[in-house]
Amino acid sequence: MENTISKEALNQLPLKHFEGKVDVVEDENAIEELVSELERHEAIGFDTETKPSFQKGKINQVSLLQFSTSEKAYLFRLNKTGLHPALIRLLTNPSIKKIGVGIRDDIKGLNRLCRFDHGGFIELQDHVKKVGIEDTSLKKLAGLVLNFRVSKRQRLSNWEAPYLTEGQVLYAATDAWVAIEVYHTLIKKFPNTEAQTI
């Protein structure tokens, strides 16, 4: 496996997005049941999205919390539901691994909504360095480890819009899904490398 990938090489790779089932959750009454589904998994992909602020010093609240398995993605619209106790239970559970890239900032953002002691988080940027990978952005990890490209076009879109567009839904699901797929692939390839939680 290469340890870096150039922009040119990345652009040669096929573009992929998550093709499984996606649940966009806007009803807080559905959260408990969906979190119970997620709790059946040993490891899940994790990410958040926040409406971009183009004003200096203004930080918006996290508006979307994403989890994904290989087959299904769960997009919780926190700007509509708040940070439900079941989600906090999942975020603090040390025995379910939550895999992501740049997750310290995500956790900080979620803590602005509600204070909690996180548990079971694995930062892919730390983990991949142990196997010699130098490029640590999610986009480059998808290229290096999974041999495909992901689009980042929706990143700065309005995550607090009344309805998420199909592009936003696919983007958000893909980010969490890529994290879990990179993790599974690296565990298979480097079974002796232990992933540390943060």
Side-chain angles (χ1 to χ4, degrees):
M1 189 184 292
E2 297 290 321
N3 57 4
T4 65
I5 188 167
S6 68
K7 220 174 181 167
E8 296 71 36
L10 194 58
N11 288 335
Q12 299 298 311
L13 294 174
L15 194 59
K16 269 190 89 166
H17 59 75
F18 181 64
E19 292 175 3
K21 183 179 184 327
V22 182
D23 258 350
V24 179
V25 189
E26 300 187 346
D27 175 5
E28 60 180 290
N29 295 318
I31 293 176
E32 180 67 53
E33 190 184 328
L34 294 171
V35 168
S36 298
E37 277 181 29
L38 283 160
E39 286 171 332
R40 292 185 205 126
H41 297 269
E42 197 181 301
I44 52 181
F46 159 83
D47 195 21
T48 69
E49 301 300 338
T50 302
K51 180 184 173 181
S53 165
F54 300 106
Q55 265 176 287
K56 203 171 179 242
K58 183 178 189 294
I59 299 172
N60 288 317
Q61 300 279 28
V62 174
S63 36
L64 193 69
L65 169 61
Q66 303 107 273
F67 293 110
S68 184
T69 67
S70 293
E71 295 80 34
K72 186 174 174 184
Y74 303 74
L75 312 185
F76 295 95
R77 299 204 68 191
L78 301 186
N79 59 312
K80 297 194 172 200
T81 66
L83 196 50
H84 190 279
L87 290 170
I88 293 171
R89 188 175 78 226
L90 182 56
L91 293 164
T92 56
N93 186 336
S95 60
I96 297 171
K97 297 183 182 99
K98 290 154 289 278
I99 321 292
V101 167
I103 57 181
R104 288 173 178 89
D105 283 343
D106 293 322
I107 293 167
K108 216 181 277 175
L110 289 168
N111 263 281
R112 282 194 206 103
L113 295 174
C114 178
R115 301 284 311 160
F116 62 89
D117 292 322
H118 65 275
F121 281 86
I122 291 173
E123 172 54 75
L124 273 181
Q125 291 183 327
D126 297 342
H127 182 59
V128 298
K129 285 176 187 153
K130 293 182 186 168
V131 298
I133 293 174
E134 290 167 29
D135 283 331
T136 59
S137 73
L138 188 72
K139 196 173 182 174
K140 289 202 165 180
L141 288 175
L144 281 165
V145 180
L146 305 173
N147 298 310
F148 61 74
R149 208 161 38 97
V150 293
S151 166
K152 297 304 257 177
R153 274 223 317 269
Q154 298 288 335
R155 191 168 64 92
L156 296 177
S157 59
N158 179 9
W159 295 101
E160 292 179 18
Y163 301 97
L164 296 181
T165 64
E166 190 188 349
Q168 284 178 306
V169 168
L170 281 181
Y171 169 87
T174 298
D175 267 11
W177 168 70
V178 165
I180 191 65
E181 293 304 301
V182 166
Y183 176 75
H184 284 322
T185 305
L186 290 175
I187 292 293
K188 273 194 201 108
K189 230 167 209 160
F190 305 98
N192 300 325
T193 309
E194 186 62 40
Q196 299 293 318
T197 55
I198 62 165

